[in-house]
Amino acid sequence: MNARPQGTPRGSIRQLNLAEVVRLLHFEGPLSRAALTERTGLNRSTIADLIAQLGTWTLVTEREPDTARGVGRPSPIVSLSPATVAIAVNPEVDALTIGAIGLDRAIIVRDRVPHDTVPTPAETAALIAEKVSEWRSGPLALSRIVGIGLAVPGLVRASDGLVRDAPHLGWRDVPLAEVVAAATELAVSVGNDATLGALAEHLFGAARGIDHAIYLNGGASGIGGGLIIGGMPVAGAGGYAGEFGQNRPGIAHEHDRRAPGGVLEDEVSRARLLEVLQLTDADEPTLATALTEATGAVVAVEVTRQRGILTTALANAVNVINPSVVVLGGFLATLAGMDLEGLTAAVRHQAMPASGENLQIRAASLAENRLLIGAAESAFARLLDDPSRAS
């Protein structure tokens, strides 16, 4: 077993070892007992004891390995139980997206609830409570809900989750965690949607294993962003870093400007795409299909205009941050995907040669679930640090 640091209570070491096992299974998926022994540096009897303890909390399950492959004594495969779940929520101006995600990362149930008028925080909390109650009588009847994570399109104070300003929702200085907790009687964490999207893509998606990455999220409320520097998320002093959508865009030709004095998200805009497509509402797959299948000149002109402005914004970000990968989510991924190689070449052309020479631009591989997965991570954080909370 790992040596116990001087002055550290033995119970704390056990807690750390339990957490290490759960985190390995969460981030890497099912592993054999032998692999857990090798990865943790603990001996086999200690691993067996830890797995037994996690089993009493119904956090893990075991199955026999496939004996048709390999030689030697087979080692049981350990998996996290899908019965431990987090509720993940992304409130937006056009809809509330909510899902239940297992500790094993399975998406158990997901729903998008459109609305014509932007709900208040209290109305949002009531809708979440209603959906959780409905699911507890259905797909989550045998599940243990450890908490709720919200990915909010706005400035969220890192210290306490206070929504300082979500301008498109009209929420300002809202103690959202308290409001939702009161309605659901569950632990609640709140974060910026793009920051949580960046975390999800870094842990499980297009930026996995990437130490220096920029993530930009394009949604109904505009454009937000997240940063991974040195393998770590960067939130800034108050938690407000990554607001790329609030930067002033570089526009080469004045006739391409649509919002005099506007910021990036005023020019590169989902609402403008819906307008030229003559759509009033669309989820991400519907919008992507509509853009891909559109043949009209008006749509082509708008797509070209937005891609050009996005190119300059990305080149500026590349010059400042020097990432190896830029990940685009939401409608930005759709814009990029219409000619990803062309967009990448254009960004490299506008960026400093040394910063752009090895640059890759990728679509968010977690697609429309990226924000929910990030929100779930925030809800799982305390359990991952201390699995005994499951007891």
Side-chain angles (χ1 to χ4, degrees), residues 90-92 150-154 156 191-199 215 217 219 221-225 243 370-371 374-375:
N90 174 220
E92 263 290 6
L150 287 105
V152 176
V156 178
N192 171 264
D193 60 347
T195 299
L196 292 174
L199 176 66
Y215 169 78
N217 187 70
S221 289
I223 296 174
E243 289 295 330
R370 66 199 180 281
L371 302 183

Side-chain angles (χ1 to χ4, degrees), residues 234-391:
V234 176
Y240 313 133
E243 289 295 330
F244 293 98
Q246 294 302 309
N247 292 334
R248 305 289 169 182
I251 300 179
H253 305 288
E254 194 59 30
H255 61 75
D256 283 336
R257 190 179 298 277
R258 299 292 181 269
V263 294
L264 176 63
E265 65 182 31
D266 295 324
E267 298 289 353
V268 181
S269 162
R270 178 179 178 274
R272 296 186 188 279
L273 293 174
L274 290 174
E275 182 180 356
V276 296
L277 289 165
Q278 299 183 1
L279 295 173
T280 56
D281 179 53
D283 60 12
E284 289 182 10
T286 301
L287 177 58
T289 299
L291 280 175
T292 302
E293 296 178 351
T295 57
V298 173
V299 175
V301 167
E302 180 61 18
V303 166
T304 299
R305 186 191 73 84
Q306 292 201 24
R307 279 173 57 95
I309 297 170
L310 177 62
T311 294
T312 301
L314 293 179
N316 289 336
V318 167
N319 286 339
V320 173
I321 307 298
N322 185 210
S324 54
V325 170
V326 173
V327 178
L328 300 177
F331 79 89
L332 297 180
T334 300
L335 282 176
M338 300 179 84
D339 180 9
L340 186 58
E341 290 185 6
L343 181 70
T344 303
V347 171
R348 286 175 178 163
H349 178 72
Q350 291 193 32
M352 295 186 301
S355 296
E357 61 185 355
N358 295 315
L359 177 70
Q360 296 182 49
I361 298 179
R362 302 175 180 174
S365 64
L366 301 177
E368 61 179 335
N369 292 317
R370 66 199 180 281
L371 302 183
L372 295 185
I373 291 172
E377 283 305 298
S378 70
F380 283 134
R382 294 198 305 164
L383 181 64
L384 291 173
D385 286 340
D386 182 7
S388 68
R389 292 179 182 275
S391 65

Side-chain angles (χ1 to χ4, degrees), residues 87 147-151 161 176-177 186-191 196 374-381:
I87 303 298
I148 299 174
L150 287 105
L176 189 61
L186 289 166
V188 178
S189 61
V190 182
L196 292 174
E377 283 305 298
S378 70
F380 283 134

Side-chain angles (χ1 to χ4, degrees), residues 56-114:
T56 65
W57 296 332
T58 64
L59 283 177
V60 302
T61 60
E62 284 192 282
R63 62 176 173 82
E64 291 303 313
D66 182 2
T67 55
R69 287 188 275 171
V71 295
R73 182 179 178 182
S75 176
I77 305 299
V78 186
S79 305
L80 289 175
S81 168
T84 299
V85 306
I87 303 298
V89 185
N90 174 220
E92 263 290 6
V93 295
D94 58 344
L96 181 137
T97 304
I98 181 170
I101 299 178
L103 189 60
D104 65 345
R105 309 201 320 257
I107 298 175
I108 299 166
V109 60
R110 184 183 189 278
D111 198 3
R112 181 177 183 269
V113 185

Side-chain angles (χ1 to χ4, degrees), residues 95-137:
L96 181 137
T97 304
I98 181 170
I101 299 178
L103 189 60
D104 65 345
R105 309 201 320 257
I107 298 175
I108 299 166
V109 60
R110 184 183 189 278
D111 198 3
R112 181 177 183 269
V113 185
H115 39 245
D116 296 326
T117 58
V118 179
T120 66
E123 290 169 341
T124 298
L127 181 56
I128 295 169
E130 177 184 350
K131 188 60 66 174
V132 170
S133 178
E134 173 190 329
W135 286 348
R136 275 179 161 156
S137 300

Side-chain angles (χ1 to χ4, degrees), residues 121-122 125-126 148 150 157 159-163 173-190:
I148 299 174
L150 287 105
R157 190 164 65 193
S159 60
D160 58 4
L162 181 77
V163 178
D173 292 328
V174 175
L176 189 61
E178 297 177 14
V179 175
V180 176
T184 62
E185 298 183 346
L186 289 166
V188 178
S189 61
V190 182

